[in-house]
């Protein structure tokens, strides 16, 4: 899936492939000007938005893979946020703490189960309670495995339910993290700065912050999800995960129009 980027020199719209580090060294197809595009967005956000866009476009099976990957990368995001938050509280040097974290993460980078274990411990130490939401049923693990590993072709309703589970969990944990998430944002900014320092003077740097399913929630003034209208004679109740996801999709789905299959 590609996304559009306008050349800062001539304004031509170029189609860009997502880069793993959110740093894109580009050359305009029209005027051939070199520019570097930095996208201020975390990997879990990109993956969840790709899954949402695929779901909206009718690619249900592909959406499951993106949602599953988004959750795994969010667990990494949480661990990094917790570790850097702890280092900040001890007035440790940020670069030293980040480097130590990178070295440690290499021990589990190819092992999903160990990554979940690191997340579980980080959650326990930060929140002081068991992460009881890590059960196979709560995470929809069996459904994910059937789709990704056994070639199951899911119905749209099943994917909606799975997406809602992942969305609700990430949204809840982001809310609990609060300002703690800013430490990972800082780590990304420092990686951008390091790349920027290496660019030739002839290359223009462009910074973008794309909207998405979580980006608006994290940085806009959006409060907690509102309750749906309650029919007469019925007691008000909280929205379930599917309703919350559907509401978020209605509110923010249009912001994903910049993600178009090409």
């Amino acid at each position: 899936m590609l996304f559009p980027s306008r050349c800062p020199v001539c304004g031509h719209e170029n189609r860009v492939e997502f880069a793993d580090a959110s740093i894109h060294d580009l050359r305009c197809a029209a005027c051939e000007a070199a520019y570097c595009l930095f996208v201020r967005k975390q990997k879990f956000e990109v993956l969840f938005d790709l899954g949402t866009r695929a779901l909206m476009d009718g690619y249900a099976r592909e959406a499951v893979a993106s949602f599953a990957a988004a959750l795994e990368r969010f667990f990494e995001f949480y661990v990094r946020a917790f570790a850097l938050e702890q280092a900040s509280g001890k007035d440790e040097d940020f670069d030293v703490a980040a480097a130590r974290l990178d070295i440690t993460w290499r021990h589990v980078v190819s092992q999903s189960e160990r990554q979940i274990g690191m997340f579980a411990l980080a959650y326990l130490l930060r929140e002081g309670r068991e992460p009881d939401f890590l059960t196979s049923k709560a995470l929809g693990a069996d459904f994910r495995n059937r789709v990704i590993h056994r070639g199951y072709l899911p119905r749209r309703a099943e994917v909606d339910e799975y997406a809602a589970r992942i969305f609700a969990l990430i949204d809840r944990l982001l809310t609990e993290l609060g300002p703690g998430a800013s430490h990972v944002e800082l780590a990304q900014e420092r990686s951008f700065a390091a790349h920027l320092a290496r660019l030739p003077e002839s290359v223009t740097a462009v910074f973008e912050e794309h909207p998405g399913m979580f980006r608006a929630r994290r940085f806009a003034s959006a409060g907690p999800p509102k309750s749906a209208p309650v029919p007469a004679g019925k007691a008000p109740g909280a929205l379930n995960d599917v309703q919350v996801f559907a509401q978020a999709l209605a509110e923010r789905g249009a912001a994903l129009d910049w993600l178009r299959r090409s």
Side-chain angles (χ1 to χ4, degrees):
M1 190 177 287
L2 308 177
F3 69 94
S5 171
R6 291 203 174 276
C7 172
V9 177
C10 72
H12 176 76
E13 184 179 283
N14 297 290
R15 304 295 290 159
V16 181
E17 287 186 298
F18 282 101
D20 197 63
S22 296
I23 300 173
H24 310 78
D25 292 302
L26 307 171
R27 187 169 294 277
C28 178
C31 71
E32 298 189 349
Y35 66 104
C36 185
L37 173 63
F38 300 87
V39 178
R40 288 187 169 108
K41 203 163 190 175
Q42 295 297 319
K43 190 180 293 185
F44 78 88
E45 296 175 293
V46 173
L47 288 165
F48 197 92
D49 286 350
L50 289 174
T52 303
R53 182 72 258 178
L55 188 61
M56 292 168 68
D57 290 342
Y59 297 91
R61 190 177 187 281
E62 291 81 353
V64 172
S66 291
F67 291 137
L71 181 60
E72 290 188 358
R73 296 288 55 80
F74 177 76
F75 286 158
E76 178 183 358
F77 175 89
Y78 188 101
V79 170
R80 290 182 176 277
F82 170 73
L84 294 174
E85 183 181 43
Q86 291 292 300
S88 175
K90 299 175 182 176
D91 293 325
E92 295 183 15
D93 181 87
F94 185 90
D95 289 331
V96 172
R100 186 170 61 230
L101 177 57
D102 287 340
I103 292 171
T104 302
W105 190 258
R106 290 174 194 164
H107 293 292
V108 300
V109 70
S110 300
Q111 299 163 308
S112 296
E113 290 299 323
R114 290 189 178 183
Q115 291 178 24
I116 294 176
M118 289 185 71
F119 165 77
L121 181 58
Y123 185 86
L124 172 64
L125 293 175
R126 189 178 194 276
E127 300 297 331
R129 58 181 181 270
E130 172 198 0
D132 55 2
F133 48 82
L134 286 182
T135 65
S136 177
K137 181 178 181 181
L139 297 179
D142 180 63
F143 172 73
R144 169 196 178 277
N145 291 336
R146 279 190 293 141
V147 172
I148 294 178
H149 299 301
R150 299 202 288 273
Y152 174 65
L153 299 177
R155 292 177 289 107
R156 169 64 189 259
E158 292 177 296
V159 182
D160 283 341
E161 182 179 353
Y162 180 70
R165 285 174 184 265
I166 304 304
F167 178 82
L169 178 56
I170 293 178
D171 196 49
R172 165 192 161 183
L173 293 172
L174 279 174
T175 300
E176 292 180 356
L177 268 178
S182 64
H183 299 286
V184 189
E185 301 290 340
L186 177 58
Q188 184 181 65
E189 290 297 320
R190 292 172 85 92
S191 72
F192 287 175
H195 189 85
L196 182 62
R198 296 191 294 268
L199 292 178
E201 291 185 5
S202 58
V203 177
T204 303
V206 178
F207 290 83
E208 293 183 0
E209 190 162 327
H210 298 159
M213 294 295 286
F214 293 111
R215 206 69 182 170
R217 179 84 166 87
R218 291 170 63 200
F219 294 101
S221 59
K226 299 176 182 178
S227 298
V230 180
K234 291 191 176 182
L239 301 180
N240 62 36
D241 290 350
V242 174
Q243 291 170 323
V244 170
F245 178 65
Q247 179 174 296
L249 193 60
E251 293 174 350
R252 304 166 213 164
L256 298 178
D257 285 347
W258 61 275
L259 283 175
R260 301 191 302 269
R261 288 184 174 266
S262 177

